[in-house]
Amino acid sequence: GARFDAVLCLFGVIGYMPSVADMTRAIATMYSHLVPGGVLLLEPWLSPGQATHGRVRPLTARRPGLEVQRMNYTRVSGNTLVIDIHYLIGDERGVRHIQEIRTLRLFTEQEYRTALRDAGVGDISLEAYGPQGRGLYVVQREA
C-alpha cells in the first residue's frame, strides 16, 4: 500500500521478466505505487538485435589482498539471453570459484510499449540515451 514520488526500474532488471504478460503485471504494480504526479523510470534490457551469441567478456577487480576475475559467456536462443558467469576469487585463504547462470528475456521496443500500454500507465516517453545507453521509458502518473 505504500506510495512513492518515483519508482525506478534500472540497469535492465526488467529483462528478468520471462514474458510480456509478466512484464505488464510488474509495470502495473510499480505504477500502482506512484503518488499522483509521481514518475516511473524504466530502463529496458537488451533487445534481440543487441544481444551477441558467443560473446566472451572478462573483467578484473583488484584490492590489496583480493583479486576477482569475472568472465561471462553469452548464449542467445530466440528471445532469450543466457549469461554464464564465472568468478575466480583470490585472497589470503586461497582461490575459489563461483558460477552463476542468468536467464533474461530480450524484449523488443514494441513489446515494452505494449506492456506499458496494457499496464494502463497513460502517456509514455522514451528518452534516447538513458543510464546505460539503452533508452529510458518515462511515465508520469496523472495528478
Side-chain angles (χ1 to χ4, degrees):
R3 301 272 191 251
F4 304 96
D5 294 323
V7 174
L8 311 177
C9 184
L10 302 176
F11 306 109
V13 297
I14 198 70
Y16 286 102
M17 296 291 101
S19 69
V20 175
D22 289 315
M23 179 170 52
T24 301
R25 283 190 295 277
I27 292 168
T29 299
M30 289 182 258
Y31 188 73
S32 75
H33 285 281
L34 290 174
V35 298
V39 177
L40 167 62
L41 301 178
L42 173 66
E43 182 184 18
W45 175 235
L46 300 174
S47 67
Q50 294 172 312
T52 303
H53 182 78
R55 180 176 183 216
V56 175
R57 182 173 180 214
L59 297 168
T60 301
R62 291 184 179 99
R63 289 190 172 164
L66 175 68
E67 182 161 336
V68 178
Q69 299 282 329
R70 171 182 163 159
M71 188 169 291
N72 303 344
Y73 178 79
T74 59
R75 293 186 310 274
V76 177
S77 178
N79 61 3
T80 301
L81 177 68
V82 177
I83 307 172
D84 187 0
I85 307 168
H86 294 261
Y87 299 91
L88 286 176
I89 304 165
D91 59 20
E92 71 280 349
R93 296 176 306 196
V95 176
R96 63 190 180 279
H97 172 256
I98 297 173
Q99 180 182 10
E100 292 181 38
I101 296 183
R102 298 182 185 178
T103 303
L104 295 105
R105 172 76 184 259
L106 301 167
F107 294 107
T108 65
E109 182 178 346
Q110 185 56 49
E111 288 173 316
Y112 283 108
R113 290 188 176 276
T114 297
L116 286 156
R117 182 198 66 223
D118 292 352
V121 301
D123 291 336
I124 304 160
S125 70
L126 176 62
E127 299 295 325
Y129 185 73
Q132 303 294 315
R134 294 186 295 264
L136 183 68
Y137 292 98
V138 179
V139 175
Q140 185 169 17
R141 188 174 185 115
E142 291 185 15

